[in-house]
Amino acid sequence: MATGIGWGISEPSLSDDDTFPISNLYRAWPALYSAAMSTRVRFAPSPTGKLHVGNVRTALMNVLHARSTGGTFILRIDDTDQERGSAELEQGIRDDLTWLGLHWGETFSQSDRFALYDEAAAVLKEKGLLYPCYDTADELDRQRKLQGVQGKPPIYDRRALELTEEQIAAYEAEGRTPHWRFKLSGKTVIWHDLVRGEQTIETSSISDPVLIRGDGSYLYTLPSVVDDLDAKITHVIRGEDHVTNSGAQIEIFHALGGTEPKFAHTPLLVDKEGGKLSKRLDGLSMRQLREDGYEPMAILSLLAKIGTSDPVEERFTIKQLAEEFSFDKIARSPARFDDDELRMLNAKILHETPYAQVKERLDALGVHGGEAFWLAIRDNVEVVDDAAGWNAAIYAPMAGKIEPEDKPFCDTAAELLGDDADWSELVRKLKDNTDRKGKRLFMPLRLALTGRNHGPQLGPILSLMGAARARARLRGETA
Ligand code: GLU
């Protein structure tokens, strides 16, 4: 994909009195082009940690926008910081996205593209927009403190631009290597954010960002812009912690002769009390949630709906979520992530999950009873693992729980139970032969048969269990 971007070559501008038909065509072309251009979005994680609910929400918003517009979802690995990233974490991210069903159409890694970034840096240097700075961390710190005392904002004072050739030579002789800052215009940058509405950043109020460190490595800012241009990204959808970066990035897009994509900055996630989620993110990694038994669609339904004007409800496919997706629905206030809601959605999804979709996991749990068992108990599980408990309740030897006052009634039930273990017939016979009905009839049977007060409908449970075992349990025997 790294085919060069035509750095610094902007579209020819036409004077107003230009009347050639061809130029009218050209004038109309950008609009036609953007209307016809399909959506291209990217999710750009750094492989420095596990995928958690916060970044999955960003990935999901990108996927939903791509799907709802027939566009392409690109996975970009932001691994310019090679010391901190790891191949294992990168593979983990890919595995987690795959598990969630968030499949990418294209993917690339920034570490393969340094030549392109070098090229862009050269263009910026040539334009005088990327300048070397020799300040040490200590010197910058002192400057900030001084500014604090003077009541000035902590903005880099561009002292590096004043350096004489001799001073530079002296620094170099000392062994200092420069880091490089992008020279902001000092003007106001304005964009229409698809979530936040009109945004303005006064670039005079922020420091010229460092694009290249003293050791020559790239910070995230420049590679991100270069890749967004090169990959023809149409929409940058990311967390609102990147709003300020957008000011500088838009100027870099222009400095490289490009146009910025549309931006959508989504509010961050908070916990259900409105507190920071960051401390808990490890427990909210996809790895952990998967281990805890959560279904991908429960996680995705929750992350798609919280912080939007839609109700938080289960959805069964990403397609459904995409059909309902719109930037207009995303609220500007933080989205509340509540584990209880996740559990509730998980349960609701499982209640309608067909056997084929869980068969492998049930087999791995060593569960018996096949489809009939799953259909009998799925309304009573919150996570698939709960099936093991119900399986044991049906198939593992257990003495029926019988209160002394229910003993004669349960004995009668044991006698009346036919060999075909037909529940409706048993209930009919019990109604005819005893004075019990309603709760007084059903509760002792449930307790004797399953050992629990609540649970699945007894009809299917009874036929799974079979008459012999049921009769024994009704008599209080272990079976
Ligand atoms: N690697 C950046 C991050 O994870 C990407 C930000 C962006 O989407 O531009 O924060």
Side-chain angles (χ1 to χ4, degrees):
M1 187 192 301
T3 49
I5 299 167
W7 307 113
I9 304 168
S10 41
E11 286 159 4
S13 60
L14 299 165
S15 61
D16 285 332
D17 60 1
D18 193 336
T19 50
F20 289 111
I22 185 74
S23 20
N24 285 334
L25 185 70
Y26 187 81
R27 209 172 293 183
W29 181 78
L32 292 174
Y33 178 64
S34 67
M37 191 164 57
S38 66
T39 306
R40 291 174 62 81
V41 296
R42 85 303 192 272
F43 170 54
S46 309
T48 51
K50 288 184 208 145
L51 215 52
H52 53 69
V53 288
N55 39 35
V56 167
R57 183 160 184 261
T58 301
L60 177 61
M61 296 289 167
N62 277 283
V63 167
L64 296 183
H65 184 57
R67 291 258 190 121
S68 64
T69 53
T72 304
F73 171 62
I74 298 165
L75 172 64
R76 180 180 96 198
I77 301 293
D78 281 7
D79 54 356
T80 55
D81 200 349
Q82 285 172 322
E83 268 169 38
R84 290 199 302 144
S86 88
E88 221 180 316
L89 286 167
E90 179 186 330
Q91 191 53 48
I93 290 171
R94 291 180 187 276
D95 292 347
D96 288 345
L97 289 174
T98 305
W99 174 68
L100 287 164
L102 301 179
H103 304 295
W104 53 89
E106 295 172 21
T107 180
F108 61 91
S109 296
Q110 290 194 322
S111 55
D112 293 334
R113 298 161 59 85
F114 287 115
L116 208 57
Y117 312 143
D118 292 347
E119 210 183 312
V123 170
L124 296 180
K125 284 177 190 171
E126 203 170 298
K127 291 188 171 184
L129 292 172
L130 190 61
Y131 61 95
C133 305
Y134 292 84
D135 317 277
T136 62
D138 276 352
E139 286 164 359
L140 291 172
D141 200 41
R142 251 177 283 144
Q143 190 208 328
R144 271 192 296 270
K145 285 195 179 123
L146 187 65
Q147 285 169 323
V149 174
Q150 294 169 338
K152 290 186 190 159
I155 299 169
Y156 179 63
D157 63 3
R158 291 185 170 168
R159 62 180 68 178
L161 289 174
E162 314 294 321
L163 294 176
T164 62
E165 303 227 332
E166 292 75 44
Q167 283 170 311
I168 292 180
Y171 282 141
E172 300 264 349
E174 248 178 62
R176 289 197 197 189
T177 50
H179 53 273
W180 296 78
R181 287 185 191 264
F182 177 73
K183 194 171 167 205
L184 292 165
S185 68
K187 295 184 194 153
T188 310
V189 173
I190 304 177
W191 76 92
H192 181 83
D193 196 282
L194 294 169
V195 175
R196 299 165 61 86
E198 187 171 289
Q199 298 293 295
T200 53
I201 301 271
E202 301 297 340
T203 60
S204 57
S205 70
I206 49 181
S207 294
D208 288 342
V210 176
L211 302 190
I212 306 173
R213 297 186 186 90
D215 64 3
S217 64
Y218 287 98
L219 280 105
Y220 138 85
T221 314
L222 179 63
S224 182
V225 170
V226 169
D227 288 335
D228 287 343
L229 280 172
D230 189 49
K232 299 190 172 52
I233 296 301
T234 57
H235 297 74
V236 166
I237 306 166
R238 58 186 177 189
E240 68 180 13
D241 47 335
H242 286 290
V243 168
T244 318
N245 288 342
S246 299
Q249 286 186 334
I250 287 173
E251 292 209 331
I252 299 173
F253 275 110
H254 294 175
L256 292 175
T259 317
E260 74 275 19
K262 292 197 166 69
F263 288 97
H265 288 95
T266 57
L268 301 181
L269 291 186
V270 293
D271 66 20
K272 71 174 166 210
E273 280 88 31
K276 276 196 181 156
L277 211 55
S278 48
K279 280 169 258 130
R280 286 191 47 211
L281 283 180
D282 228 29
L284 296 173
S285 68
M286 289 310 111
R287 280 303 142 93
Q288 190 58 50
L289 294 182
R290 184 176 181 173
E291 209 165 279
D292 293 346
Y294 289 108
E295 303 299 307
M297 280 314 300
I299 299 171
L300 298 180
S301 298
L302 185 68
L303 292 177
K305 297 301 178 189
I306 50 174
T308 76
S309 51
D310 281 345
V312 175
E313 287 169 352
E314 70 281 12
R315 294 287 179 266
F316 295 87
T317 60
I318 295 175
K319 184 167 173 274
Q320 245 177 319
L321 290 175
E323 281 162 8
E324 296 165 354
F325 176 79
S326 158
F327 289 118
D328 298 339
K329 292 182 179 175
I330 302 175
R332 289 209 41 189
S333 46
R336 284 173 193 253
F337 181 90
D338 178 348
D339 308 63
D340 295 337
E341 266 183 324
L342 180 59
R343 233 179 148 73
M344 183 264 300
L345 291 175
N346 208 69
K348 287 191 169 174
I349 284 174
L350 288 178
H351 298 172
E352 296 189 38
T353 298
Y355 176 62
Q357 253 179 52
V358 286
K359 179 182 182 319
E360 254 174 55
R361 282 184 286 163
L362 293 177
D363 289 348
L365 285 172
V367 150
H368 316 280
E371 182 164 18
F373 166 74
W374 173 248
L375 295 179
I377 59 99
R378 68 177 178 178
D379 277 348
N380 293 82
V381 297
E382 288 185 331
V383 292
V384 169
D385 280 15
D386 291 346
W390 289 116
N391 213 241
I394 296 172
Y395 297 111
M398 183 185 70
K401 243 196 210 164
I402 301 173
E403 302 295 340
E405 69 269 24
D406 296 326
K407 179 92 183 87
F409 171 71
C410 288
D411 282 338
T412 309
E415 262 162 53
L416 294 175
L417 179 63
D419 285 340
D420 54 357
D422 186 320
W423 172 250
S424 350
E425 189 189 294
L426 174 66
V427 171
R428 197 163 19 83
K429 285 186 183 162
L430 282 168
K431 282 184 178 159
D432 289 347
N433 289 283
T434 70
D435 63 348
R436 296 205 181 204
K437 55 181 185 187
K439 210 175 159 207
R440 282 187 65 242
L441 183 142
F442 294 113
M443 196 51 89
L445 296 178
R446 179 176 290 289
L447 258 179
L449 291 172
T450 68
R452 307 194 196 188
N453 284 322
H454 298 283
Q457 289 192 345
L458 284 171
I461 295 292
L462 187 61
S463 58
L464 285 166
M465 185 176 286
R469 169 169 277 155
R471 230 176 257 130
R473 286 188 184 181
L474 286 167
R475 295 200 174 105
E477 295 160 9
T478 298

